[in-house]
Amino acid sequence: MSLKGKNIFLLEDDPINYSVILTILRQHGAIITHDHWGDTTLSRLKNHPFPLDLILLDLMLPGQASGYDVYDAIREMPELDGVPVVAVSAADPDVEIPKAREKGFHGFISKPINRRHFPDQLIEILAGETYWG
């Protein structure tokens, strides 16, 4: 399995993290849709023109909503049922991984992103596994 042709939605507010993740995913052939702030994420997901394979959520967002709030709203959308959602965060993994597991995320990937391992981590999740690291 590879990321080639996989439709991935990325919610990331930091321009540097966005650039790094976008570059890695595009180098591996993924098709990316992106949102910066989380306040328009749900409408963008509802109006997405094709099925998504994976959703990547930053947990710490500007404003009132967190990645957990966005996750809860995603899980209420029947059209996204079964789409794996992964937390990608610089937050303390010892604190956030148990929260993400309890919520129902399919994984947690710590920032800074490891350019070499990131694609394989996502492929593992797309294959039905989970990744917590």
Side-chain angles (χ1 to χ4, degrees):
M1 179 181 280
S2 76
L3 297 178
K4 187 174 178 85
K6 297 296 181 188
N7 294 303
I8 300 175
F9 187 92
L10 171 63
L11 174 57
E12 173 61 62
D13 66 307
D14 181 83
I16 294 171
N17 288 327
Y18 164 72
S19 180
V20 168
I21 294 170
L22 182 69
T23 300
I24 294 168
L25 294 176
R26 284 191 174 156
Q27 285 174 342
H28 287 269
I31 301 161
I32 312 305
T33 304
H34 172 255
D35 195 14
H36 292 282
W37 309 113
D39 55 351
T40 58
T41 297
L42 298 178
S43 64
R44 295 196 70 197
L45 286 168
K46 284 180 186 175
N47 297 313
H48 203 267
F50 37 83
L52 289 167
D53 296 298
L54 183 67
I55 299 171
L56 304 176
L57 294 181
D58 186 359
L59 294 180
M60 299 182 297
L61 301 169
Q64 306 252 328
S66 72
Y68 293 114
D69 297 325
V70 174
Y71 177 88
D72 289 341
I74 287 170
R75 287 301 168 226
E76 292 178 12
M77 299 171 65
E79 59 270 29
L80 297 176
D81 189 40
V83 177
V85 180
V86 178
V88 182
S89 182
D92 181 353
D94 292 335
V95 173
E96 299 304 328
I97 287 176
K99 286 184 193 177
R101 281 180 184 257
E102 184 177 322
K103 243 331 161 182
F105 279 80
H106 291 84
F108 181 98
I109 298 174
S110 296
K111 293 177 188 172
I113 298 298
N114 182 313
R115 291 176 180 262
R116 219 170 349 129
H117 298 295
F118 187 60
D120 293 330
Q121 294 162 342
L122 298 182
I123 290 168
E124 191 174 311
I125 292 163
L126 286 165
E129 303 296 323
T130 59
Y131 181 85
W132 305 99

